[in-house]
Amino acid sequence: MRRAIDRRERVLLFYLVVLFGFGLGISGAAAHSRLVKSDPSARAVLDKAPKELKLWFNEGVEPAFAKVWIVPAQGAQIPLTSQGDSSDPRLLKVALPDNLPAGPVNIGYHMLSVDGHTVDDKLTFTVKAP
Amino acid sequence: MLDPFAIVRAIATLAAAIVLGSGVLVWYTRDALAPAGGSVWRRRVVFSVLVSAFAGAVATGLGAVGAAADAAGAARFSVNGAIVGTFLFKTGVGRIAIIEIGYAVAACIPAVIAWVTLKKSAISDLSLLSAAVIAALGLATFPFNSHPVTLDQQIAGLSASIAHRLALGVWLGGLPALILLIGAGPVPDDTRRLAAVILRRFSRLAMVAMCVIVVTGTLLTWFLVGNFPGIIGTEYGRLLILKLALLGGIFVIAGGLQRHLLPMLEVKPSDPTFRSYANRVKLETVVAVLIVIVASDMASLAPPEHENIVWPLPFRLSFAATWAIPWVPTRFIGGHVLILLGLAALAFSLMPSLRPAWFRLRPTTGLTAGIATMLAGSALAFPAVSVQAFPDTYLATDIPFAATSITAGLKHYEDNCTPCHGVSGHGNGPLAASMPDTQKPADLSAPHTALHTGGDLYWWVTHGIERTPMPGFGDVLTDDERWDIINFLGAFSIGYQARIIEPKINSGQYWLAPPDFQVTDETSNTNILSDYRLKSAILVVLFSCTQENVAQETARLEQLLAARERMAELGAKISLVASGKICEPLRRLATGKILVADRDTADVAATYGLYTRTFLNRKMDVVRVPATHAEFLIDRSGYIRARWLPEEDNSWSDLGFVETQLQMLAREPPAPPPPGPHDH
């Protein structure tokens, strides 16, 4: 009986070592939530520069930790100010600068959603030259 | 590698579990603790609860700091007070974290009281139970900060998650108390009988807890993962498999304890049996801790719904794609009969009590025959329903099925694909003539069947198709551009199927999804077409203005504008799509009165043009359909249900006809949301 128990324990231990090896091989990945729609929409081509960018997510967002910025073709990122919307927890409103140049506008954002996960993504729209 | 944040969260969970599980176990066995060994064990357990309560408070606080760092996009645990303050007091996630910290700290107070009042066992036991209840509340708070809150089935998800964590706490948290009972050196004589009683009672508690864990875990998997590809094709799913495998290990250990060792111990509580029991409990504890670490890592990942699935197998099983093929149902069902026969042979060979009198095979022969029959059955059943699959087979895109994407895809098609697939898309481009018959380019107007997913098409556009002239465009077109092509192919193909759509509603025809586009409403708000789902039916009117017909088009618009209030009463809105300079007066006329597609209007017109083919008209020879006037009726559930092409008949000239259709739509119950163009 004793020997049988020992053997079973060894089998179990082996099983665990194999499983744990499998576990170590798994690497962490960034959480990813989604932008449902935006105004202007991603990849829109606009006749004139918009004053505001609205981002709607698939989950409620926490405006206190929202970061939105413009990635210019050259130079440092330009941070933008954003605020939530009391009537729609999934909406984030971003004020855009007045002097938005013609051409593609690359927007980056980092968002904390209500389930505690963060979202990092980008979108681009284009302002036509006058 | 494991995230340090996940480790901290695992420590917080483990600590709360020990406070809960050990507290509950002492309370449940308190009547049996009178013998001398009982007070020794109680002292050890109360001390472990005390240490766990404080460790839990520290880990929960650290967890909040880590979450704040993550929220701010800073390195783990390297944040200042201001960020942590903003996180805790300015966000919903943070406020829930405050509640968690509050419970973790509060649990320390009764734990201290339980330690100080050890001599007065009634007060001590009651304090320990209070600590357990507070720890349970803390464990039940966490799901409000995690995946379940974002589920559609929020209340069911939250309840399942809370029950899952509490059951885990009762079971896992009792294990260290068992180690303190029989695993910390030889079991003294005065503790032996007592130990058998406690182990039996724990076994009962753990049995109930395990049932709850399995049931709620199954529910949560259903809610959060939902489909099989999500389990084997995502990191979350693979961690889930690991967790289940570890749980399988627990069942083996716990089953052995309950069936063999516990009865042995109750008959004869000998040292070797106690040693063996203690070793297994220790092993079970290690596995349980691994499960909590894996679960904490899972909690920091997005569930498969939000993750890209990378399919690891060269095939997938699809009934939709194969069931109609001759002999497939026979092979599948026949194969399963064989598998069941094989299973029966295995069961009869392994378990003599099940063996019927007519089963005369020797156990080894029976085993071999059973396994061989099962293998034969599998070989018959599964290949029959298997179809080819690629790593991207279950990949989907965030790019919506919208006019801008479809038109972008149309342009990429015209730039890259016409030499082989032709300007018509029928696979008859100039290069096609020189290709052997077996390798002719595909006719892209053919219906997309369940045989190929959108992800399959994406894989082919990216990598090409093996052993055919189809090249890959992964280096030529960006990821988004290739998805645009997939969206275009969906619209192009289904446009051919849409030839049967008539001016009259046919009931139950929920299959044709309208491409999305932006509109400006009567009060200058911007919406997308799909925003109106379940709110309003939409009459999408595609105007096509030339100098010759502009008066006629204007007259139609005026007719519709005059009828808009009547249509609103019937639950419908009108949306104008009028591109080009000549149409500008129409756009001005409609603005502020009905929905107007005033962004990317040419794209919207070109996209809906794909849906204007009929069996009569001559729009078969080009992919990009020449513009004509067309009207589409989209029901409240978001499906195209009827359309009118004035060049074919004159039915909708009389708006009374349209009103009849709207009345029919108003009587229909809502249907589920439209599927994507490649969903089957």
Side-chain angles (χ1 to χ4, degrees):
Chain A
M1 187 69 200
R2 191 64 234 274
R3 282 189 54 195
I5 291 170
D6 278 355
R7 206 182 62 226
R8 279 194 212 156
E9 276 171 12
R10 270 203 296 276
V11 170
L12 271 175
L13 201 65
F14 174 74
Y15 173 72
L16 285 177
V17 168
V18 171
L19 279 182
F20 201 62
F22 174 48
L24 289 178
I26 291 172
S27 63
H32 179 66
S33 195
R34 266 179 305 146
L35 183 76
V36 178
K37 65 168 177 172
S38 64
D39 181 25
S41 59
R43 304 192 294 155
V45 180
L46 308 167
D47 292 330
K48 60 174 198 259
K51 295 258 176 283
E52 189 182 52
L53 169 66
K54 288 182 185 167
L55 302 169
W56 281 270
F57 292 86
N58 62 336
E59 294 162 358
V61 292
E62 300 278 12
F65 278 98
K67 269 193 223 165
V68 188
W69 60 90
I70 293 177
V71 187
Q74 281 146 8
Q77 292 177 354
I78 305 161
L80 301 172
T81 55
S82 61
Q83 61 179 74
D85 185 288
S86 53
S87 63
D88 187 352
R90 298 176 182 213
L91 169 62
L92 192 80
K93 295 190 284 196
V94 185
L96 292 170
D98 290 333
N99 56 351
L100 217 51
V105 181
N106 297 305
I107 305 278
Y109 55 86
H110 169 91
M111 209 70 50
L112 174 65
S113 77
V114 291
D115 68 354
H117 288 125
T118 51
V119 185
D120 288 277
D121 213 336
K122 56 186 190 300
L123 76 101
T124 301
F125 57 85
T126 306
V127 180
K128 274 193 217 163
Chain B
M1 258 327 280
L2 279 173
D3 181 356
F5 184 41
I7 302 272
V8 169
R9 217 166 19 204
I11 293 174
T13 304
L14 286 169
I18 292 174
V19 177
L20 169 61
S22 296
V24 166
L25 186 63
V26 168
W27 181 259
Y28 186 46
T29 57
R30 67 191 185 286
D31 59 307
L33 300 183
S39 60
V40 174
W41 179 62
R42 179 191 272 125
R43 190 164 51 84
R44 287 177 185 171
V45 173
V46 173
F47 186 70
S48 76
V49 166
L50 183 67
V51 171
S52 301
F54 279 94
V58 173
T60 311
L62 268 179
V65 175
D70 192 29
R76 292 284 187 220
F77 307 111
S78 64
V79 283
N80 58 35
I83 290 178
V84 177
T86 311
F87 176 75
L88 290 178
F89 299 106
K90 295 276 171 61
T91 69
V93 188
R95 281 185 278 264
I96 291 170
I98 292 178
I99 299 175
E100 275 189 276
I101 295 171
Y103 283 131
V105 172
C108 297
I109 299 166
V112 170
I113 298 174
W115 176 249
V116 174
T117 60
L118 257 179
K119 298 248 162 52
K120 299 172 191 143
S121 60
I123 300 176
S124 180
D125 288 350
L126 196 63
S127 306
L128 207 57
L129 184 69
S130 315
V133 171
I134 297 172
L137 290 170
L139 280 172
T141 309
F142 178 79
F144 289 90
N145 249 357
S146 190
H147 300 135
V149 277
T150 59
L151 287 175
D152 291 337
Q153 314 87 341
Q154 195 192 42
I155 293 177
L158 279 173
S159 315
S161 183
I162 290 170
H164 197 74
R165 288 172 65 83
L166 293 185
L168 172 100
V170 168
W171 158 65
L172 165 56
L175 292 174
L178 297 191
I179 296 175
L180 294 174
L181 181 68
I182 56 169
V187 182
D189 288 341
D190 59 359
T191 314
R192 291 180 180 232
R193 287 284 154 205
L194 169 74
V197 172
I198 294 174
L199 290 174
R200 170 58 70 186
R201 291 205 189 163
F202 176 79
S203 173
R204 272 184 226 144
L205 274 181
M207 187 83 162
V208 175
M210 270 299 159
C211 290
V212 175
I213 286 173
V214 170
V215 171
T216 53
T218 312
L219 267 179
L220 286 171
T221 304
W222 177 261
F223 290 153
L224 288 169
V225 186
N227 54 31
F228 184 68
I231 293 182
I232 71 166
T234 64
E235 167 130 27
Y236 188 91
R238 285 192 289 272
L239 282 173
L240 182 66
I241 295 173
L242 174 61
K243 198 176 150 189
L244 288 175
L246 289 169
L247 192 68
I250 294 273
F251 282 141
V252 174
I253 301 171
L257 285 177
Q258 203 178 21
R259 272 204 311 278
H260 305 298
L261 282 184
L262 191 53
M264 269 171 71
L265 204 67
E266 284 169 331
V267 176
K268 185 169 173 283
S270 67
D271 274 339
T273 320
F274 269 125
R275 244 197 329 271
S276 181
Y277 205 113
N279 285 341
R280 297 218 190 175
V281 172
K282 284 176 191 166
L283 195 58
E284 190 179 342
T285 311
V286 172
V287 183
V289 169
L290 289 179
I291 288 183
V292 173
I293 293 173
V294 171
S296 298
D297 205 24
M298 281 167 77
S300 66
L301 290 177
E305 193 200 350
H306 302 167
E307 241 190 302
N308 288 335
I309 293 173
V310 181
W311 183 248
L313 304 173
F315 63 90
R316 65 188 170 99
L317 304 182
S318 169
F319 293 104
T322 54
W323 205 246
I325 301 170
W327 293 105
V328 165
T330 317
R331 284 176 62 190
F332 187 77
I333 294 166
H336 274 80
V337 171
L338 284 181
I339 292 171
L340 287 177
L341 287 175
L343 269 176
L346 280 188
F348 296 158
S349 309
L350 289 173
M351 285 178 264
S353 57
L354 293 176
R355 200 175 300 156
W358 50 261
F359 191 82
R360 298 267 171 80
L361 292 179
R362 285 214 310 271
T364 44
T365 322
L367 271 181
T368 318
I371 291 172
T373 316
M374 281 175 65
L375 286 178
S378 307
L380 190 65
F382 294 112
V385 290
S386 300
V387 294
Q388 195 183 15
F390 307 94
D392 289 350
T393 286
Y394 291 99
L395 200 60
T397 177
D398 286 345
I399 298 176
F401 185 63
T404 42
S405 167
I406 292 166
T407 329
L410 170 56
K411 187 173 175 301
H412 301 316
Y413 175 86
E414 289 169 334
D415 293 347
N416 297 285
C417 314
T418 48
C420 298
H421 292 280
V423 287
S424 66
H426 291 200
N428 53 2
L431 295 183
S434 59
M435 294 178 193
D437 277 351
T438 52
Q439 296 184 353
K440 291 281 187 212
D443 174 0
L444 301 171
S445 68
H448 286 172
T449 63
L451 199 55
H452 307 303
T453 64
D456 285 346
L457 300 183
Y458 178 78
W459 178 266
W460 287 329
V461 171
T462 306
H463 302 282
I465 301 177
E466 271 183 28
R467 292 184 292 279
T468 74
M470 168 75 187
F473 291 87
D475 300 331
V476 183
L477 298 167
T478 65
D479 185 57
D480 284 1
E481 288 168 342
R482 278 172 276 145
W483 278 116
D484 288 338
I485 290 185
I486 308 308
N487 273 339
F488 158 70
L489 290 176
F492 177 66
S493 156
I494 211 159
Y496 273 81
Q497 289 167 270
R499 287 177 297 176
I500 60 166
I501 300 283
E502 298 174 352
K504 209 172 138 297
I505 301 280
N506 286 304
S507 65
Q509 295 294 307
Y510 302 113
W511 57 274
L512 188 58
D516 224 342
F517 58 90
Q518 255 185 26
V519 292
T520 301
D521 73 5
E522 303 83 342
T523 51
S524 305
N525 286 321
T526 308
N527 293 315
I528 52 179
L529 193 69
S530 51
D531 287 337
Y532 292 94
R533 202 182 100 74
L534 297 182
K535 291 181 190 150
S536 176
I538 309 271
L539 181 67
V540 175
V541 185
L542 203 61
F543 290 90
S544 159
C545 304
T546 59
Q547 293 297 355
E548 292 75 42
N549 77 355
V550 69
Q552 197 185 340
E553 291 289 77
T554 310
R556 177 65 176 172
L557 177 60
E558 282 167 349
Q559 184 192 13
L560 289 166
L561 287 177
R564 69 181 190 277
E565 279 168 17
R566 174 75 189 123
M567 295 228 182
E569 283 168 25
L570 293 167
K573 285 180 177 287
I574 302 168
S575 173
L576 170 124
V577 181
S579 74
K581 206 164 172 56
I582 310 174
C583 266
E584 201 182 336
L586 276 75
R587 290 198 293 275
R588 271 207 308 274
L589 188 59
T591 300
K593 300 190 182 84
I594 56 172
L595 307 180
V596 177
D598 51 4
R599 291 242 176 101
D600 313 307
T601 319
D603 289 352
V604 183
T607 298
Y608 276 78
L610 296 172
Y611 292 72
T612 60
R613 296 180 210 272
T614 70
F615 291 104
L616 298 175
N617 67 25
R618 299 175 53 77
K619 293 172 183 168
M620 308 284 284
D621 47 355
V622 277
V623 168
R624 192 185 282 268
V625 179
T628 46
H629 186 104
E631 301 185 10
F632 299 86
L633 189 51
I634 298 167
D635 68 13
R636 262 162 37 93
S637 300
Y639 293 87
I640 298 179
R641 298 294 300 281
R643 68 172 177 174
W644 178 53
L645 302 164
E647 60 189 16
E648 304 241 325
D649 72 78
N650 170 16
S651 52
W652 287 17
S653 309
D654 170 14
L655 286 182
F657 187 92
V658 180
E659 284 178 18
T660 314
Q661 309 310 308
L662 286 174
Q663 280 159 352
M664 283 169 65
L665 287 184
R667 284 195 294 272
E668 290 184 342
H678 301 283
D679 296 345
H680 299 283

